[in-house]
Amino acid sequence: MAIMTELSFYQKLERVPLLKIATIYVVGLFAAPTLKFSFSSFQYLQDSLILLSGIILCCFLFKGGLFKYCYLIGYYILVLLFGIWQFWRSDPLYMENHFSHFQLDSYVVEIVQEPSTKSETTRFSVEVLGGYMQDSFMATTGKLMISLKATTKRPLRYADRLWLKGTMSAVPPPFNPFEFDYREYLKGSAIYHQIFLHPSNYIRIEREDSHFPDVMVLALRTRESFLKKLRRYCKNEEYYSIAAALLYGFRGEIDEANIKAFTNTGTIHVLSVSGMHVAVLFGFLSLVFRYIPWPLRLNWVPVVITFSIIWIYAFIAGLDPPIVRAAIMISFVLCARHFKRNSSTLNALVAAASIILLCDPRAITNVGYQLSFLAVLGMLLFLPIFEKIVIVKNPFIRFLRDTVGISIAAQVLTTPLTLYYFGQFPTYFLLANLLVGLPSTVTMYLGFLMTINPIDWLNELFGFLLENFIACILYSLKAIDRLAFSTIQIDIIDGNLLFLSYAAVFSLLYAYQWKDRKYCYLGFLCVAGIVFITIIQQIIDENTERFRIYNTRNELTIAYFKNQQAIIYSTFDSLNHKALQYACGREIRVWASEGNVRFIPLKSKSVRNNYLVELPFGKIVVMEYFSNELPSAELLVVRKNAIQKLPAAVNKILPREVILDGSNSLKKSLQARTILDSLGMKSYLIKDNFAYVWDKESL
């Protein structure tokens, strides 16, 4: 009788044939942003790919000896360079016919994203098909983000064509520390420019009906009909918005307080159609088809139907990376099961990741994509260990164990990245997932039954049950969110800590799996490095004063931080104002603990005022008009184009530096800078520029 021996680490890697090439391709994608090409050098890169492909083909044909090694080395170099080329190929700089290279008077565009409306502003992305320049039409390419004020016109829809006229501009970078980088977010969708439209600046172009309907249009129309049916039986608006997100990924109508509850408890993934939703749908279909006696010659029918429904659902939910990943993985599992082949979930995961990145290389920078794949990888690697340690036979206890195990396994690999991007950790994520897991699964089953059920009274019952399950979910999450320390806010970790975190996790995992003591020591050494760096950073933070004058456009926001306490002066009426929170709310949460923020509003914005702001490091004069009563101060902040008597104000206040904030026009700001330069006075211009930032060490 043969003795079964456990495969080594490298033998297991050999069973994932795509892993090696996928890793090299991903390295190329990650390395690409650090490389900058001119237009000509990018053309050389394209030519070198063609030349290298020819050389590798020749080496493969000759084989043997030196040619074998040349083939392998050249093959890996080709994949690396291909990844770099893939990442940059959609950049406007390297696209000769990109619309931004031409001075177009008007544009012809096609909507390629379902329009969403919030705060009376409709936003959507378009493909620029061409434009008019001196009455002649020129075909172009490239994407554009459009923001449109509320209108009484017929609502715009996916695939509509428009003629529009307006001023196109590059998407600006973030102007404040820790501010959401909207430019990088849009770059992930190959969007580099935006335009703000008035309803009078566009005309809908009527299109002839095509004999071959757009698949995405059909999917969105189908979702629209499903949402109408859902609204008919789910009468409470709050519960309807949660159900729409839970079932079909439609999050346009969810209240911000509910979004916050899901985010703070670590259950926001429930509202984003992802692997869990596809798995529930797959389980639902498998359950239905299990009780249908299919003839042997028709055993392929349930596979085709399941495959089709899974991908139709993926299209309806918007083809976000998490659901595409899940759909691809389940497609591999379906095919393997039908053809009676052994299926590797890790193989399916790597294949799904590779296919998505080949179609959309900039998805590598998408936070949702990264977190989605790390969560699934964590479940594949750590869930078997958890099940091996915690052995139970009772079905109910096994369900609880699996729920806890999945939550922990997913959290292990996603936590470092979450801290890197967001600087917060949901303390009670286990409790939240336990309380939400079963109700959300039941809610999805009810929603799917409601979708296919034609009986009205039965749908009324489903709607009643669905509302109660969602009420239960919201009540549980809001109760957890109100608990003490429900969300831990920490400093955003840097790249070094992120690297050490994953090095520690994978070293300890390898040490446990293959009983290798060296990697155990390496893992604990990485943990010690994390603790040491964190302690040093904590000491530095506690002894650092931070002062900011944020770029909040026409408003003024001044902040001072020390010892997890903050003093905020602002012309906004509240610390919770949306614009203030967007610009600097995240940094305030990082440097000041909850309850230790003192907010002082600067009122009377309808008339010009001067203010004296006193902070521990000195005084600041905020000047909106010249006055003979201006006191002396360390800093002078000039607002509302008050530069007529700027030399007299400087001579009176005697500041060390003058700050020209965002309420000044760019023209007046530049004039003021010229005046200050002639006086030998140091100045800083905030208009279209980064916030004024210093720490104590830089004074």
Side-chain angles (χ1 to χ4, degrees):
M1 182 177 177
I3 299 174
M4 297 292 292
T5 58
E6 186 178 356
L7 295 175
S8 70
F9 173 72
Y10 298 102
Q11 286 174 324
K12 285 196 173 185
L13 287 184
E14 289 296 325
R15 294 198 168 193
V16 190
L18 275 175
L19 184 60
K20 191 180 295 183
I21 186 172
T23 301
I24 295 170
Y25 178 65
V26 168
V27 169
L29 293 178
F30 273 120
T34 64
L35 305 172
K36 299 295 181 183
F37 300 94
S38 64
F39 180 80
S40 57
S41 60
F42 188 74
Q43 298 301 314
Y44 290 141
L45 175 63
Q46 293 186 129
D47 295 340
S48 65
L49 285 173
I50 298 171
L51 179 62
L52 189 58
S53 299
I55 295 173
I56 291 170
L57 180 61
C58 293
C59 292
F60 175 76
L61 293 175
F62 284 104
K63 298 181 180 178
L66 183 62
F67 289 108
K68 178 182 177 181
Y69 295 105
C70 290
Y71 165 74
L72 288 174
I73 294 170
Y75 176 69
Y76 293 138
I77 293 174
L78 178 66
V79 173
L80 185 72
L81 293 179
F82 179 72
I84 296 171
W85 175 81
Q86 272 275 82
F87 185 89
W88 285 114
R89 65 184 174 84
S90 61
D91 192 281
L93 179 62
Y94 313 120
M95 300 170 66
E96 293 184 7
N97 61 338
H98 194 273
F99 67 88
S100 61
H101 300 322
F102 310 100
Q103 296 293 326
L104 299 174
D105 302 318
S106 59
Y107 305 88
V108 175
V109 303
E110 182 174 312
I111 299 176
V112 293
Q113 178 190 25
E114 190 176 20
S116 63
T117 302
K118 281 187 178 181
S119 302
E120 298 185 350
T121 300
T122 302
R123 287 187 174 87
F124 52 91
S125 59
V126 298
E127 181 74 28
V128 181
L129 305 177
Y132 290 92
M133 186 167 56
Q134 297 178 350
D135 297 328
S136 61
F137 182 79
M138 178 179 294
T140 62
T141 188
K143 288 185 177 180
L144 179 67
M145 176 58 68
I146 292 181
S147 297
L148 179 66
K149 291 183 179 180
T151 174
T152 56
K153 291 184 178 181
R154 180 161 57 96
L156 296 173
R157 307 177 77 175
Y158 179 89
D160 280 351
R161 283 193 180 175
L162 309 174
W163 172 90
L164 59 89
K165 194 170 186 177
T167 304
M168 172 267 296
S169 62
V171 180
F175 289 135
N176 296 288
F178 298 113
E179 183 182 333
F180 174 65
D181 195 339
Y182 188 57
R183 182 172 67 172
E184 283 300 315
Y185 171 75
L186 289 183
K187 277 185 180 180
S189 302
I191 300 172
Y192 297 83
H193 299 83
Q194 62 183 356
I195 191 169
F196 296 87
L197 280 184
H198 189 273
S200 61
N201 290 349
Y202 78 88
I203 298 172
R204 192 194 311 264
I205 301 173
E206 296 299 331
R207 300 176 59 180
E208 294 181 4
D209 292 335
S210 172
H211 296 293
F212 303 98
D214 190 314
V215 175
M216 200 65 189
V217 172
L218 288 176
L220 292 174
R221 300 294 181 267
T222 304
R223 182 173 78 172
E224 192 176 308
S225 66
F226 289 166
L227 289 173
K228 285 180 180 177
K229 187 173 185 180
L230 179 65
R231 186 183 288 275
R232 191 189 317 156
Y233 299 107
C234 190
K235 299 175 176 60
N236 184 293
E237 284 296 323
E238 183 181 31
Y239 300 155
Y240 162 76
S241 64
I242 299 293
L246 194 65
L247 291 166
Y248 308 116
F250 183 74
R251 292 172 55 175
E253 300 181 15
I254 303 181
D255 183 74
E256 288 187 12
N258 290 334
I259 289 282
K260 185 180 177 183
F262 278 94
T263 303
N264 290 348
T265 54
T267 54
I268 191 65
H269 61 276
V270 173
L271 297 182
S272 301
V273 174
S274 58
M276 180 187 77
H277 299 71
V278 178
V280 169
L281 179 59
F282 178 64
F284 175 75
L285 294 172
S286 300
L287 190 66
V288 170
F289 291 137
R290 183 182 300 171
Y291 297 102
I292 299 177
W294 299 97
L296 186 63
R297 65 179 182 277
L298 296 178
N299 64 351
W300 54 270
V301 173
V303 176
V304 172
I305 294 175
T306 303
F307 181 89
S308 302
I309 291 176
I310 290 293
W311 277 102
I312 289 170
Y313 182 62
F315 271 95
I316 289 172
L319 288 180
D320 287 334
I323 193 171
V324 172
R325 181 260 307 155
I328 293 173
M329 289 181 66
I330 286 179
S331 299
F332 277 107
V333 171
L334 272 172
C335 293
R337 182 185 294 179
H338 180 69
F339 293 107
K340 295 181 173 56
R341 303 275 184 176
N342 291 327
S343 61
S344 165
T345 313
L346 185 58
N347 247 332
L349 179 65
V350 173
S354 304
I355 291 170
I356 292 173
L357 290 178
L358 282 171
C359 298
D360 181 13
R362 286 190 177 266
I364 196 74
T365 63
N366 184 289
V367 180
Y369 174 90
Q370 296 170 5
L371 290 174
S372 168
F373 278 91
L374 283 175
V376 176
L377 182 61
M379 286 185 273
L380 293 179
L381 296 178
F382 293 99
L383 194 56
I385 297 173
F386 189 80
E387 291 173 346
K388 189 176 179 181
I389 295 172
V390 184
I391 302 172
V392 293
K393 294 182 179 179
N394 184 284
F396 178 73
I397 298 176
R398 191 185 304 125
F399 169 79
L400 294 179
R401 182 205 64 180
D402 291 345
T403 304
V404 171
I406 289 171
S407 298
I408 293 175
Q411 208 74 37
V412 169
L413 290 187
T414 57
T415 294
L417 200 64
T418 302
L419 296 178
Y420 177 74
Y421 282 119
F422 309 114
Q424 68 178 40
F425 179 76
T427 314
Y428 306 114
F429 73 91
L430 272 179
L431 177 61
N433 278 283
L434 273 173
L435 293 177
V436 167
L438 182 59
S440 61
T441 303
V442 174
T443 300
M444 282 186 280
Y445 275 116
L446 287 171
F448 294 145
L449 285 170
M450 188 186 293
T451 300
I452 62 174
N453 178 54
I455 304 172
D456 191 66
W457 67 266
L458 195 54
N459 282 335
E460 290 282 355
L461 176 61
F462 290 154
F464 173 77
L465 294 173
L466 188 144
E467 285 187 336
N468 280 275
F469 275 111
I470 292 175
C472 175
I473 291 172
L474 285 177
Y475 178 81
S476 301
L477 293 184
K478 289 180 179 179
I480 293 171
D481 192 26
R482 286 193 294 268
L483 295 175
F485 308 108
S486 62
T487 304
I488 299 175
Q489 300 283 347
I490 67 169
D491 300 356
I492 308 288
I493 68 172
D494 60 13
N496 294 326
L497 284 177
L498 184 67
F499 173 78
L500 286 175
S501 298
Y502 283 115
V505 169
F506 286 112
S507 296
L508 293 173
L509 174 65
Y510 185 92
Y512 173 84
Q513 197 75 35
W514 279 275
K515 309 297 184 289
D516 193 325
R517 191 172 295 178
K518 297 191 298 294
Y519 282 90
C520 185
Y521 293 148
L522 177 61
F524 284 118
L525 183 63
C526 291
V527 172
I530 292 169
V531 173
F532 177 75
I533 293 173
T534 303
I535 292 172
I536 295 299
Q537 190 60 52
Q538 190 69 29
I539 293 171
I540 292 172
D541 290 343
E542 287 180 359
N543 293 279
T544 300
E545 289 181 279
R546 293 179 170 85
F547 172 70
R548 312 282 190 258
I549 300 179
Y550 293 109
N551 185 340
T552 47
R553 300 183 183 275
N554 291 327
E555 305 296 336
L556 174 67
T557 304
I558 298 172
Y560 173 83
F561 303 98
K562 189 175 182 182
N563 294 330
Q564 286 294 301
Q565 295 186 338
I567 303 173
I568 312 292
Y569 287 86
S570 181
T571 54
F572 287 111
D573 55 10
S574 166
L575 184 64
N576 296 319
H577 194 285
K578 285 184 180 180
L580 186 149
Q581 282 297 315
Y582 181 85
C584 48
R586 188 175 173 189
E587 189 182 36
I588 293 171
R589 290 190 294 273
V590 167
W591 298 128
S593 56
E594 191 173 356
N596 285 330
V597 179
R598 182 184 171 200
F599 181 76
I600 304 170
L602 302 174
K603 299 179 181 179
S604 303
K605 292 188 291 183
S606 58
V607 295
R608 290 177 180 265
N609 289 279
N610 294 330
Y611 308 97
L612 178 63
V613 174
E614 297 190 58
L615 294 172
F617 71 87
K619 298 177 180 179
I620 305 165
V621 169
V622 179
M623 186 181 77
E624 295 183 351
Y625 69 95
F626 178 77
S627 170
N628 289 319
E629 298 177 359
L630 292 170
S632 60
E634 280 72 22
L635 286 176
L636 168 61
V637 179
V638 179
R639 285 177 47 77
K640 298 184 178 179
N641 298 320
I643 69 170
Q644 290 82 0
K645 296 184 179 181
L646 188 55
V650 169
N651 290 331
K652 195 167 188 60
I653 299 170
L654 300 176
R656 284 185 291 176
E657 189 170 358
V658 177
I659 314 299
L660 303 160
D661 87 336
S663 65
N664 303 291
S665 68
L666 185 59
K667 180 180 178 181
K668 292 290 185 180
S669 296
L670 294 174
Q671 288 177 6
R673 173 178 280 180
T674 303
I675 294 170
L676 293 168
D677 288 344
S678 67
L679 296 173
M681 176 58 61
K682 187 179 178 183
S683 63
Y684 189 85
L685 189 152
I686 290 182
K687 186 75 172 182
D688 296 336
N689 197 12
F690 201 74
Y692 180 77
V693 174
W694 59 249
D695 299 335
K696 186 176 181 180
E697 291 77 11
S698 62
L699 276 175

